[in-house]
Amino acid sequence: MAWLSQYQAIVYGNGANGPILQGGRSVTEQAIISSETRQAPQGKMSALALSALGIVFGDIGTSPLYTFKTVLGTAEMPSDPATVLGALSLVLWTLFVITTVKYVSFAMRVDNDGEGGILALMALLGVKKHHRPSIVAVGLFGAALIYGDGAITPAISVLSALEGVNMATPALQPYVVPAAVVILLALFAIQSRGTAEIGHFFGPIMLVWFVAMAVMGVAGIARHPMVFAALSPSYGLSYLFSHGMTGFLVLGAVFLCVTGAEALYADMGHFGSRPIKLAWFGIVFPSLILNYAGQAALVLEGAPTDGNIFFRLCPEPLLLPLIGLATIATIIASQSIITGAFSMTRQAIQLGWLPRLYIKQTSSEGYGQIYVGVVNWLLMIVTVGLTIVFGKSDNLAAAYGIAVSATMLMTSALLFIAMREIWGWSVWAAGFVAGCFLVVDSAFFLANLTKIAEGGYVPLVLALLIYGVMWIWHRGAAAVSQRMREALIPVDDFMKRTQAAGIPRVPGTAVFLTRAERDIPPVMVWHVKHNRALHEHLFVLRVEIRSVPWVFGEQRLTIEEVAPNFWRAEAHFGFMERPHIPELLAASKSLGCTVDLADVTYYVGHETVIHRDDGMGMPAWQEKFFAVMERNAVHVSDFFSLPNDQVVEIGRQIAI
């Protein structure tokens, strides 16, 4: 079981390696581990599927706590058999069409070197090779919406679990919100410690949770076996088209049953598609079907629809233990979405859409164990605020769903392009399949739009703010690069000038990091201008984060000697990797580079952004906002893992 223990240490945390490693594995080791985990032997599939239960399925696995009661609470005559069977049919077929067909059968076949999720899909479609602003906008806004989901999921999950005490001991009702706040504060407070230790128990606990849901569902079905008539889609369609606006509004509540479906796709890179599919078809999907059917059977038998229908399935002596298990399950679900936000933040940083943030590696055994403090505390503030303001899971349900439905709609649009360009499907075939997904997703999205005034504006506002940050950062970074390219000097001209000026060459190697793809980097020009000396060996390095998760072998580093003892190199990293420049320099020796690694000084530029006076720059408010982000970004030497005692920083002002 040593192989499994190593794998669990790697995958738990739902993230990927951060750009700053504090004791851990090299880029090469990380790439090897990633390849091995994706190609796990058949005998390990069940173990990986168990691990996936604790990371991938927490959100969708806890949705029975609040989905069916919200659906019936939205419908007219909630106890009417036609309403109950229609609602159940809509829930079951939504799980099948969106999760099983769209994500498990189609989306998980479109991977970016094994990685999934809307950002990986956006990168896969070649947005760095082609100017595709519409695809970029769709991908980024979809990612921004997931942050909104990340803030609401912990609040609604923990509240819905704790509300079970209202049935056991109504006197405790006033303490539900304070208890939820305490749990959420504790959850966010321990994030910096990592989840390596408790992560080993996530899978088994969620297995117990799914088994308990299935058993309760079977017990409910035994009271009214005819509930399985809802397996026919006619019941759902009949209710949908015969109840006018009410039937349409019910879709917004039905959608809550698949709010965690996007995680199946986003977490594919950590487990591979086969373990996720095994866990879905073998455990999760059957448990969800049985539990939803059991809740419906209970209502058909005459149980009241007020309160939490989920907890009514449980025998009274076991109610308190079930509440405890539900609370733990919702904490695990919240943990998954929080660490997923960490992972997505790192991907956005690597792709150039967010400023460099401090990313802490919380375990030396696993690249998936990361912590992003800024994201953690901002999520905590929003989540706790939502818990206090909304107070009940029923109220939060109005805000929940719109972010995920919009993300799923955007994923369907990108899937159409992927079917055409990656799979080579005809426009008719791709249009038919993607069109079916778009119709379903659009219906859910429009139904959720009706909840904007009731709280649905919350994730939309959050997404717009995050999208604005991404857009301004990327635009500002592009403006800085453009201004620096305007002042480039050809290598031959620069070397002739230094010789003519009698610039002395001193022993050692100078490594200059640059954004420029050619010529002399500005930081070298500034160095010579201020220090009036140049090292004997010169190494100019440009690092590019490519739109693939991993870069292997000869694609990692290209190098050429552009002048005597003057080397220019370009390094390529995937957006799932951690750049480590000292390791890269050591690898350059095998490519014929003769730099002296024993005496290296790294030169990095530190630009102070100011506003242009010629009216050609960014709007003043965007420039100021970008300048604030630039000043507070993680220093480039930390981002590239440079030794602090060998770094020289040279500053200048750049007007954008």
Side-chain angles (χ1 to χ4, degrees):
M1 296 298 287
W3 182 91
L4 174 59
S5 298
Q6 182 190 44
Y7 182 80
Q8 288 176 321
I10 293 169
V11 299
Y12 276 112
N14 195 29
N17 54 299
I20 303 169
L21 185 68
Q22 298 185 343
R25 303 183 185 277
S26 68
V27 170
T28 303
E29 290 173 318
Q30 291 166 355
I32 292 173
I33 290 171
S34 175
S35 176
E36 288 177 347
T37 55
R38 291 190 189 121
Q39 301 175 18
Q42 182 63 38
K44 306 297 182 181
M45 282 299 106
S46 58
L48 298 183
L50 178 62
S51 298
L53 284 179
I55 295 299
V56 179
F57 298 103
D59 192 357
I60 198 170
T62 54
S63 58
L65 282 166
Y66 48 81
T67 296
F68 204 68
K69 71 167 185 173
T70 305
V71 173
L72 294 184
T74 307
E76 297 176 348
M77 297 183 297
S79 298
D80 181 68
T83 299
V84 176
L85 291 176
L88 178 61
S89 180
L90 287 172
V91 168
L92 298 184
W93 280 94
T94 297
L95 280 169
F96 176 73
V97 172
I98 289 185
T99 309
T100 303
V101 178
K102 176 183 173 180
Y103 281 98
V104 175
S105 301
F106 280 90
M108 292 182 70
R109 292 171 56 198
V110 186
D111 66 283
N112 191 342
D113 192 23
E115 300 297 331
I118 194 166
L119 278 182
L121 181 57
M122 180 192 78
L124 179 65
L125 297 178
V127 297
K128 297 189 76 173
K129 295 181 180 179
H130 309 286
H131 185 60
R132 288 179 154 179
S134 59
I135 293 180
V136 171
V138 167
L140 291 181
F141 193 67
L145 284 164
I146 294 176
Y147 284 100
D149 176 45
I152 298 175
T153 295
I156 190 173
S157 299
V158 174
L159 274 175
S160 61
L162 291 177
E163 284 169 355
V165 302
N166 296 339
M167 300 178 60
T169 311
L172 295 178
Q173 182 176 355
Y175 302 100
V176 169
V177 172
V181 170
V182 170
I183 290 174
L184 291 170
L185 289 174
L187 175 64
F188 283 101
I190 65 172
Q191 293 302 310
S192 61
R193 302 175 64 88
T195 57
E197 296 298 326
I198 62 175
H200 295 286
F201 303 101
F202 281 5
I205 290 175
M206 290 306 295
L207 177 61
V208 173
W209 169 252
F210 283 114
V211 171
M213 284 203 305
V215 170
M216 289 192 303
V218 170
I221 294 168
R223 302 180 184 182
H224 202 101
M226 292 301 294
V227 74
F228 272 127
L231 290 174
S232 170
S234 61
Y235 283 89
L237 294 174
S238 175
Y239 179 83
L240 187 63
F241 291 110
S242 64
H243 284 73
M245 181 56 68
T246 301
F248 179 70
L249 294 177
V250 162
L251 283 180
V254 169
F255 185 77
L256 296 175
C257 72
V258 290
T259 50
E262 187 78 20
L264 277 71
Y265 187 33
D267 290 327
M268 184 171 61
H270 305 301
F271 295 94
S273 61
R274 292 173 61 195
I276 292 176
K277 290 179 180 179
L278 177 61
W280 172 251
F281 287 112
I283 300 173
V284 181
F285 192 33
S287 298
L288 292 176
I289 291 175
L290 291 172
N291 192 266
Y292 282 122
Q295 292 187 48
L298 202 64
V299 175
L300 289 175
E301 193 190 22
T305 58
D306 60 319
N308 197 311
I309 304 173
F310 176 87
F311 287 108
R312 294 189 190 280
L313 283 172
C314 181
E316 188 172 346
L318 298 177
L319 185 56
L320 288 178
L322 178 64
I323 294 171
L325 177 61
T327 303
I328 296 173
T330 55
I331 291 173
I332 292 174
S334 303
Q335 177 67 58
S336 301
I337 201 71
I338 293 169
T339 49
F342 295 162
S343 177
M344 189 171 62
T345 298
R346 187 207 47 72
Q347 289 188 33
I349 292 171
Q350 298 287 55
L351 289 172
W353 292 100
L354 281 177
R356 297 180 301 271
L357 300 176
Y358 182 77
I359 298 179
K360 176 184 177 182
Q361 190 80 25
T362 59
S363 171
S364 62
E365 295 298 323
Y367 67 85
Q369 299 288 340
I370 64 171
Y371 169 73
V372 186
V374 173
V375 175
N376 183 68
W377 299 122
L378 288 177
L379 274 179
M380 183 196 74
I381 293 171
V382 176
T383 300
V384 172
L386 291 174
T387 303
I388 296 173
V389 171
F390 285 85
K392 294 175 61 178
S393 61
D394 290 341
N395 299 334
L396 266 172
Y400 201 36
I402 190 169
V404 185
S405 62
T407 302
M408 289 184 176
L409 184 62
M410 295 174 183
T411 299
S412 294
L414 295 182
L415 281 176
F416 170 75
I417 302 173
M419 291 173 187
R420 295 277 295 125
E421 298 185 0
I422 299 174
W423 293 352
W425 285 15
S426 68
V427 66
W428 298 107
F432 175 76
V433 175
C436 291
F437 295 151
L438 286 169
V439 168
V440 174
D441 291 335
S442 297
F444 283 117
F445 177 66
L446 293 174
N448 278 290
L449 280 181
T450 62
K451 301 188 292 185
I452 286 183
E454 302 173 30
Y457 61 87
V458 172
L460 292 180
V461 170
L462 291 173
L464 286 172
L465 290 174
I466 295 168
Y467 180 81
V469 169
M470 291 179 173
W471 180 70
I472 292 174
W473 172 259
H474 189 75
R475 189 179 183 195
V480 169
S481 297
Q482 176 62 33
R483 292 290 285 174
M484 296 180 69
R485 283 194 295 268
E486 294 172 358
L488 294 177
I489 302 174
V491 174
D492 292 340
D493 292 349
F494 177 79
M495 299 306 294
K496 290 177 181 178
R497 292 182 190 180
T498 57
Q499 292 177 1
I503 300 297
R505 305 293 292 269
V506 298
T509 298
V511 176
F512 297 91
L513 301 181
T514 181
R515 296 186 181 96
E517 300 178 7
R518 56 181 175 81
D519 301 330
I520 296 296
V523 66
M524 185 185 293
V525 177
W526 306 336
H527 166 60
V528 172
K529 178 180 178 180
H530 293 289
N531 296 321
R532 302 190 181 280
L534 199 59
H535 287 70
E536 181 180 358
H537 299 280
L538 304 175
F539 193 96
V540 175
L541 176 63
R542 176 178 178 268
V543 176
E544 179 185 6
I545 305 299
R546 300 180 62 181
S547 56
V548 295
W550 310 93
V551 175
F552 300 100
E554 297 178 354
Q555 298 179 0
R556 170 74 67 200
L557 181 66
T558 58
I559 187 170
E560 63 173 331
E561 189 174 12
V562 296
N565 292 327
F566 189 148
W567 300 85
R568 186 175 187 93
E570 185 166 304
H572 301 275
F573 293 90
F575 60 77
M576 296 292 287
E577 296 182 283
R578 172 189 57 86
H580 197 288
I581 302 308
E583 288 184 356
L584 200 70
L585 288 181
S588 70
K589 300 289 286 185
S590 64
L591 298 178
C593 182
T594 59
V595 297
D596 182 10
L597 298 179
D599 185 11
V600 174
T601 302
Y602 299 92
Y603 289 87
V604 298
H606 180 74
E607 299 88 16
T608 300
V609 174
I610 60 175
H611 189 63
R612 289 178 66 162
D613 296 327
D614 57 6
M616 302 295 291
M618 298 172 62
W621 70 273
Q622 293 183 21
E623 175 270 318
K624 291 179 181 178
F625 189 63
F626 173 77
V628 170
M629 289 192 287
E630 175 75 19
R631 287 195 299 269
N632 289 278
V634 168
H635 196 277
V636 66
S637 60
D638 294 324
F639 186 78
F640 290 124
S641 304
L642 303 179
N644 292 328
D645 58 349
Q646 295 176 253
V647 176
V648 175
E649 182 179 291
I650 301 177
R652 69 167 286 192
Q653 290 184 334
I654 295 183
I656 62 173

